[in-house]
Amino acid sequence: ELQTLGAEVTPELTIHACVPSTNAWLLARAGGLPKGSVCLAEAQTAGRGRLGRRWVSPFGCHLYLSLLWRFEDAAAAAGLSLAVGVAVRQGLLRLGVEGIELKWPNDLLWQGSKLAGILIEAVSEQQGPCSLVIGVGVNGTMPAAAARQIDQPWVDLHTLLGHAPPRNRLAACVIAELLALLHAYEEAGPALWLERWRAHNCVLGRSVSVQQGARVYTATAVDVAPDGALVLVDAAGRQHKVNAGDVKLRLG
Ligand code: BTN
């Protein structure tokens, strides 16, 4: 499916036994690799999550995948974050995982427990062309030693399906959906994906605890904006718009 890109240069698929982080690996090579290139690893020694958190990445158990994409205009990538969650959800649906909910901005939860996480990092945040690395981690079979290091409820594919699907197949499903999303998104922008995100989210209409730096407040999540920001209304009726890079969100 990488061939359907129509790019002048064929994207590269690199599979490592172990890297610090597949996102970091692609970010460091973003200038020299074609759009659509993918990096996979069996293990990460410094797997990273959103907001500076660590992503526990034991060998041979889970999916650690990063995909490089380029947008002509950095502004066009606003709103992509939610869309990527929708695409990964769709990839897991191909494997028979139903009932995944999206927690803003793009966590994949199953009955409140985290199944997969997404970290999108930009090479350049300035105006003009922008390279993005889309990192996806999906829990396959969680070993007990790794589970002890995770400080939030989690679930894995092994538990949900009764077996862990072959990780090649898991990677293929996720990559196929990401590429389909990125092509469609370039053509049509975020509107359709925002609708899909709304259809499968577990945040809108709920009370949430928002941590923004040292400040913590409770509010009701009411909508998402086209740029992917979450729209909240606090107890005093004031409306807030918060960006994914700035806040931690807890469901009330
Ligand atoms: C989160 O939920 O906090 C995001 C987790 C993203 C983890 C993936 S694993 C592959 C890629 N490489 C990384 O270092 N992080 C992402």
Side-chain angles (χ1 to χ4, degrees):
E1 261 161 280
L2 285 173
Q3 286 172 348
T4 64
L5 280 168
E8 284 152 31
V9 194
T10 311
E12 290 184 21
L13 175 65
T14 314
I15 305 174
H16 298 275
C18 186
V19 285
S21 151
T22 54
N23 265 28
W25 193 91
L26 265 189
L27 279 169
R29 291 156 184 83
L33 285 173
K35 164 180 179 178
S37 293
V38 170
C39 173
L40 290 158
E42 291 280 5
Q44 302 183 116
T45 53
R48 43 206 208 200
R50 284 185 56 241
L51 304 168
R53 285 179 290 217
R54 191 163 76 100
W55 189 255
V56 178
S57 307
F59 187 93
C61 314
H62 304 317
L63 180 73
Y64 315 119
L65 177 154
S66 299
L67 186 147
L68 175 69
W69 202 254
R70 247 173 231 114
F71 283 92
E72 284 315 309
D73 175 10
L80 184 70
S81 168
L82 303 188
V84 168
V86 174
V88 175
R89 182 185 185 280
Q90 196 66 26
L92 297 178
L93 196 57
R94 282 191 186 208
L95 294 165
V97 188
E98 295 184 2
I100 296 176
E101 292 185 311
L102 298 166
K103 180 187 162 203
W104 184 88
N106 50 24
D107 281 353
L108 280 78
L109 305 186
W110 194 86
Q111 296 193 355
S113 296
K114 187 146 165 174
L115 175 63
I118 292 161
L119 174 66
I120 303 179
E121 297 183 270
V123 173
S124 156
E125 307 233 326
Q126 289 149 12
Q127 296 293 315
C130 140
S131 294
L132 290 180
V133 170
I134 299 168
V136 181
V138 181
N139 295 336
T141 304
M142 186 70 78
R148 284 195 286 276
Q149 299 172 52
I150 300 176
D151 60 2
Q152 60 181 322
W154 58 267
V155 68
D156 58 13
L157 292 175
H158 194 285
T159 308
L160 296 182
L161 295 172
H163 66 279
R167 281 173 308 138
N168 281 349
R169 188 153 169 250
L170 171 56
C173 289
V174 172
I175 293 169
E177 290 294 337
L178 285 177
L179 291 176
L181 154 70
L182 289 160
H183 286 293
Y185 189 96
E186 275 186 342
E187 292 295 312
L192 173 65
W193 303 90
L194 284 175
E195 277 321 301
R196 291 182 181 167
W197 187 90
R198 286 191 184 97
H200 298 297
N201 89 89
C202 59
V203 172
L204 297 184
R206 285 182 66 172
S207 168
V208 294
S209 160
V210 186
Q211 187 185 337
Q212 193 158 16
R215 188 170 161 239
V216 180
Y217 60 95
T218 302
T220 303
V222 293
D223 201 5
V224 279
D227 64 358
L230 183 65
V231 183
L232 302 156
V233 174
D234 68 18
R238 282 185 301 257
Q239 187 164 301
H240 304 252
K241 229 177 114 180
V242 293
N243 295 310
D246 303 334
V247 294
K248 278 188 197 166
L249 200 74
R250 274 222 177 94
L251 297 177

